[in-house]
Amino acid sequence: MSSALLSVENAVVDLPTPRGNLRAVDHVDLAVGAGRTLGIVGESGCGKTMLSRAILQLLPKKAKLSGRVMFDGQDLTRLPAEKLRKLRGRSLAVVFQDPMTSLNPVLTIGTQLIETIQEHLELDLAQARQRSIELLAAVGIPAPEQRLAQYPHQLSGGMRQRVAIAVALSCEPQLLIADEPTTALDVTIQAQILDLLAREQQRRHMAMIIITHDLGVVAGRTDEVAVMYAGRVVERAPTPALFKQMRMPYTEALLAALPKLDVAPHTPLPAISGRPPDPTRPLKGCSFSPRCRYSAERCGTEKPQLSTAETPEHLYACFHPIAARVGA
Amino acid sequence: MMLQAAPNPLMKVENLVVEYSVGGKTIHAVSDVSLEIARGETLGLVGESGCGKSTLGRAVLQLRQAVSGKVLFDGHDLTTLKGEALRQMRRRVQLIFQDPIASLNPRRRIGDIVAEPLVIAGVKDPEERKRRVTEVLSAVGLDPALVSGRLPHEFSGGQCQRICIARSLVLNPEFVICDEPVSALDVSIRAQILNLLEEMKARYGLTLLFIAHDLAVVKAVSDRVAVMYLGRLCEVGPSEQLFARPAHPYTALLIEAIPVPDPDVRPTQSVPVGEPPSPIAPPSGCRFRTRCPRADARCASEVPELRVVAPGQFAACHHPLV
Ligand SMILES: Nc1ncnc2c1ncn2[C@@H]1O[C@H](COP(=O)(O)OP(=O)(O)OP(=O)(O)O)[C@@H](O)[C@H]1O
Ligand SMILES: Nc1ncnc2c1ncn2[C@@H]1O[C@H](COP(=O)(O)OP(=O)(O)O)[C@@H](O)[C@H]1O
Ligand code: SF4
Ligand code: SF4
Ligand SMILES: [Mg+2]
Ligand SMILES: [Mg+2]
């Protein structure tokens, strides 16, 4: 933990809403080291985006964050706005689900890249321009010189996401957070974008966080995975251990619900019944208990805490973890 | 063409061409597509965004006029039917949209939304309408007493899709086009809705055209699958066979690109195949040739026809994989 580039310690995000307080992130601990990739997986609304915004210090104004976000030895929650702004873009970069959130629609691709580069690195216009062309080529954009003069709306969704990645990588960040970078894209484009991210991550020895709702996306491309449910991390493990010795009934259910190519057509899918609890009405016991097929009495009255399985790197929050039951 | 699914298909699309014209330019959205769907069958239709899947669905329903081609439903050509005759036929064919929330009128109550097709079809008796609405709402797993008086914004995406499915079933249709019914939904809710569609199909004896861009989703519910690329059909075949032995290089690419939830399966570094070209100026010959690893000179000059590659399996390729 101590060697991690980023560590999130006991992070809580509260949002006031007309229905009352909404706890979007509930006591989350995470860490990721240089050159490593962490996957964060969970259903929509489970708090993935709020967590990444908490790391970046980009929460909505009304949100309240407590806990620490240690990045490269400093606590980002205590950094003055000016320092944070410098850090984002330079050392900390982000790619969002909708590339239009990262890109400015009224500026050309060239202007956006060159301005970002010049804001953070000491390069003159010609150098920054040259650097932009190299970056666009690196992310697989054909005819990069011509693209500099184009606007985001003149590109396809896949191209825009490539440009957003180029902008994010332009200042050699130490940490890249990709929040559902491929959810809006087709499978063939998704594979290309994920390859691109993996390649750049290795080449630059960056730390990377990939956020997704698809366990398939994290399986072959991360070192560690954190599964979130209702604002909390409910299971965390090195990727191979998560898939081979999953302990959390929720992780198991999420994986089982995915349609698979090696299953015959018309086989009923093991769906998870119901849906996640209303985040403004937190449950007393385990948040997954109304949908959990293993739920027992204690699950409804007491909250399971994250604790370790047989290895210290594998954590889960469940009273009746899977392997234990298989053995019994 | 040799695309016989059954001696007497419920739906038969012949050489359908649909175009849009934008700023003086023609978008070739659907080019010369032929399909057959047997009674009781589910045909899956896959392809990347913009390849013409929704356009094909809309043209089948006569919501968009075709430039040429026929749409034979139970032997009647829908493209030539007009007025009352078309309306009678349309009752038997329904559509479920991609975005469940956007396809429900935000100011109307669920009971009225589901009853609307009955009103349009001229079912005058309010008791009869109420009976039908109650029946379909219960069938899709909603409590009619609880949901009828509420507004769409009070429901989640998955529940809105249940409401849309109920609305599509209220007229007792025979054929339902499902246009990406689960694309906007989360993994866990997606499985619930796919199971529901299968149940409804069995219960009401439906024939389905199931459109999606996710191959694994399509395989889960389809008897046969048709793969579309830039307005044209690439391959059609029985689901299992098509996934086990794809004949068209594009089908193979789509299968390879699916992320597998197994850490031992390292994703194959995908071929840098780029993106689909513009449907305004599709490539000559085979439309896939600009991204195809097997393309040669013939592919640029000659449009490949759908040909039999295995029993029941057809591919439009000069150099098929099987
Ligand atoms: N009303 C319209 N006017 C002009 N062009 C259109 C219109 N609707 C669709 N198109 C174009 O026709 C082509 C086919 O579109 P269509 O919506 O059928 O694709 P799709 O396969 O359903 O895509 P998606 O997976 O994104 O839903 C695209 O190039 C699209 O931009
Ligand atoms: N700006 C906001 N104001 C109030 N609540 C919000 C806001 N953004 C997100 N939420 C709520 O916070 C919770 C977590 O959301 P989010 O982090 O976006 O989830 P995810 O990214 O996992 O889909 C959800 O209940 C969501 O409705
Ligand atoms: S604590 Fe109980 S309800 Fe929660 S996941 Fe474990 S078994 Fe299920
Ligand atoms: S016809 Fe040629 S370009 Fe088209 S898919 Fe076959 S090999 Fe590839
Ligand atoms: Mg999100
Ligand atoms: Mg569509």
Side-chain angles (χ1 to χ4, degrees), chain A residues 42-44 156-159 162 185-192 195 199 213-217 219-222 239-240 243-244 254-255 257-276 291, chain B residues 42 47-49 156 159 186-192 194-195 198 201 213 215-217 219-223 239-240 243 250 253-255 257-276 291:
Chain A
E43 284 172 79
S44 127
S156 71
M159 293 274 216
R162 284 175 202 269
L185 306 175
D186 274 314
V187 278
T188 61
I189 314 293
Q190 161 165 294
Q192 296 176 57
D195 283 351
R199 197 175 64 230
H213 66 262
D214 186 346
L215 275 167
V217 166
R221 304 179 186 270
T222 56
T239 309
F243 283 90
K244 297 218 171 74
L254 209 52
L255 188 62
L258 275 181
K260 304 201 179 48
L261 272 186
D262 54 7
V263 172
H266 307 303
T267 311
L269 287 159
I272 313 177
S273 61
R275 52 191 182 117
R291 309 171 78 189
Chain B
T42 299
E48 284 168 277
S49 179
S156 67
Q159 287 172 316
D186 250 324
V187 183
S188 71
I189 313 297
R190 182 177 294 181
Q192 293 175 11
L194 289 173
N195 287 345
E198 292 273 87
K201 186 188 162 190
H213 65 262
L215 278 180
V217 164
K219 186 182 174 194
V221 298
S222 305
D223 302 296
S239 307
E240 296 254 47
F243 288 104
Y250 179 60
L253 172 74
L254 281 181
I255 294 173
I258 302 174
V260 183
D262 179 346
D264 290 339
V265 182
R266 282 275 149 193
T268 42
Q269 282 286 312
S270 56
V271 219
V273 286
E275 315 203 5
R291 301 170 82 194

Side-chain angles (χ1 to χ4, degrees), chain A residues 35 44 82 96 99 133 140 143 175 179 195 215 225 241 325:
Chain A
S44 127
E82 180 56 20
F96 293 106
I133 296 171
L175 171 69
D179 187 354
D195 283 351
L215 275 167
V225 178
R325 198 181 38 250

Side-chain angles (χ1 to χ4, degrees), chain A residues 43-50 52 97 179-180 211:
Chain A
E43 284 172 79
S44 127
C46 73
K48 305 181 296 293
T49 296
M50 285 296 129
S52 62
Q97 170 170 348
D179 187 354
E180 309 223 22
I211 298 174

Side-chain angles (χ1 to χ4, degrees), chain A residues 178-257:
Chain A
D179 187 354
E180 309 223 22
T182 58
T183 302
L185 306 175
D186 274 314
V187 278
T188 61
I189 314 293
Q190 161 165 294
Q192 296 176 57
I193 296 284
L194 292 173
D195 283 351
L196 165 66
L197 285 171
R199 197 175 64 230
E200 294 302 315
Q201 184 261 338
Q202 274 167 24
R203 203 167 68 75
R204 295 159 194 264
H205 201 66
M206 250 177 356
M208 184 155 83
I209 298 179
I210 296 187
I211 298 174
T212 171
H213 66 262
D214 186 346
L215 275 167
V217 166
V218 298
R221 304 179 186 270
T222 56
D223 300 299
E224 196 190 9
V225 178
V227 179
M228 282 185 80
Y229 190 75
R232 289 160 53 104
V233 170
V234 293
E235 182 159 19
R236 205 177 104 197
T239 309
L242 184 92
F243 283 90
K244 297 218 171 74
Q245 293 124 36
M246 56 182 59
R247 295 308 200 98
M248 215 21 225
Y250 177 61
T251 314
E252 180 192 50
L254 209 52
L255 188 62

